[in-house]
Amino acid sequence: MSRPGKKRSRATLEDKESPEAILAKSEIQEEEKCTRSAAQERSSKPMGSSKGRATKKETCRSTQESKQAFSHWLMKSEPESRFEKGVDVKFGIEDLKAQPNQTACWDGVRNYQARNFMRDMQVGQEAFFYHSNCKEPGIAGIIKIVKEAYPDHTQFDKKDPHYDSSSTKENPKWSMVDVQFVRMTKRFIPLSELKTHHQAHRGSGGPLKDMALFTRQRLSVQPLREELRSLNEQDEREQ
DNA sequence: GCCAACGTTGGC
DNA sequence: GCCAACGTTGGC
């Protein structure tokens, strides 16, 4: 597929447990994630980078910032028409739903951090689909990763708004994943509401205090903490 | 349409 | 390696 500019959304997930149980466990899980991913990193070294020398503490932080530490995501995309180099980059959740098999590739990401997060994604993980640059920004639905990262073909397409002349087929610079529609959230969750929570949590030390949507505002693919997902489940249950 | 935030580029 | 210029993101 080729979805021209999608890029930002977030993910949430399904879990069989109650939101309360998840919430209660979230701190512990955070610890376990650190430990586990540090171990995984040691045993299965991806070829990629051996960038950052890391102390113990940093190992934990860096893995949280990267792969296996996260199982949910937020991915942003624009649901309203906007033309980039003559091409409409509109791609809302309804557009995803309309695709064959309700599946599309998430092409067009041209930010290293966002790309790296996509490379960390694993099949089966879920993400929130966030509508950006539109009248009503916010979380519209839930999608899941159905194909792990592979080269984004649009980087080689001169006609594509996201063509990158500096990338080669031998060593592609940009990646994409395939995503599939899962469902709409029970209600649209506007940015304003997320912001309210974020601000409250900044004061109280709550779980959304460092939500990437606000702390890294231009990042179109971002990891999601367990807590937001839990809060959403709880919210949906109360409907 | 404005513009703040912030990532990237390139001269030095 | 610094940093100013520039381009993009994305809320409003």
Side-chain angles (χ1 to χ4, degrees):
Chain A
M1 3 269 19
S2 32
R3 234 41 326 248
K6 40 302 346 297
K7 2 211 139 205
R8 5 175 122 185
S9 118
R10 75 141 47 280
T12 232
L13 266 298
E14 305 280 345
D15 205 298
K16 274 67 239 173
E17 303 177 73
S18 72
E20 294 77 12
I22 292 170
L23 223 36
K25 280 178 17 191
S26 58
E27 269 200 51
I28 293 169
Q29 290 180 335
E30 215 55 62
E31 293 279 334
E32 289 174 346
K33 279 187 220 166
C34 279
T35 307
R36 177 166 22 95
S37 21
Q40 284 179 0
E41 255 204 9
R42 260 177 262 117
S43 59
S44 61
K45 246 294 162 293
M47 46 191 155
S49 44
S50 33
K51 318 222 147 3
R53 262 2 6 135
T55 65
K56 229 165 211 181
K57 207 172 193 172
E58 282 170 332
T59 297
C60 182
R61 170 167 332 164
S62 72
T63 50
Q64 281 196 12
E65 287 275 291
S66 62
K67 355 266 102 147
Q68 292 99 325
F70 297 102
S71 54
H72 331 95
W73 309 92
L74 181 146
M75 301 172 81
K76 303 178 184 177
S77 189
E78 304 183 32
E80 296 173 5
S81 282
R82 185 173 63 82
F83 290 85
E84 228 176 292
K85 298 179 184 164
V87 178
D88 192 355
V89 297
K90 167 184 188 293
F91 192 71
I93 195 161
E94 295 298 338
D95 297 300
L96 174 60
K97 227 171 146 178
Q99 296 292 318
N101 214 20
Q102 300 188 323
T103 299
C105 60
W106 205 264
D107 60 89
V109 171
R110 296 295 181 268
N111 169 280
Y112 290 108
Q113 203 175 6
R115 177 202 70 180
N116 292 343
F117 281 132
M118 286 201 297
R119 290 180 176 179
D120 290 342
M121 291 174 172
Q122 297 172 5
V123 169
Q125 292 178 340
E126 290 184 310
F128 283 117
F129 194 116
Y130 178 89
H131 281 168
S132 68
N133 204 14
C134 58
K135 212 125 325 169
E136 260 205 299
I139 294 169
I142 295 170
I143 58 180
K144 69 178 177 189
I145 311 307
V146 294
K147 182 174 177 173
E148 69 184 21
Y150 61 107
D152 177 346
H153 56 90
T154 65
Q155 68 197 300
F156 307 119
D157 179 1
K158 293 199 168 75
K159 303 278 143 20
D160 192 276
H162 307 292
Y163 171 66
D164 183 352
S165 63
S166 72
S167 184
T168 65
K169 298 224 175 181
E170 295 69 36
N171 192 13
K173 194 180 279 189
W174 305 110
S175 300
M176 63 185 181
V177 294
D178 286 355
V179 301
Q180 183 174 38
F181 175 79
V182 173
R183 63 177 173 86
M184 303 299 283
T185 46
K186 290 202 176 139
R187 67 183 178 87
F188 180 80
I189 306 168
L191 173 63
S192 58
E193 184 178 328
L194 293 168
K195 189 178 290 179
T196 298
H197 283 125
H198 173 247
Q199 277 168 349
H201 288 191
R202 277 201 312 168
S204 68
L208 301 186
K209 68 176 189 310
D210 53 6
M211 194 179 173
L213 197 57
F214 304 103
T215 61
R216 301 184 171 178
Q217 60 177 222
R218 298 178 46 184
L219 190 59
S220 68
V221 175
Q222 45 186 268
L224 200 53
R225 291 191 167 277
E226 175 66 20
E227 289 86 348
L228 214 205
R229 182 183 150 249
S230 302
L231 290 175
N232 181 53
E233 286 187 352
Q234 196 161 358
D235 178 71
E236 291 192 338
R237 176 178 281 218
E238 284 164 5
Q239 301 284 309

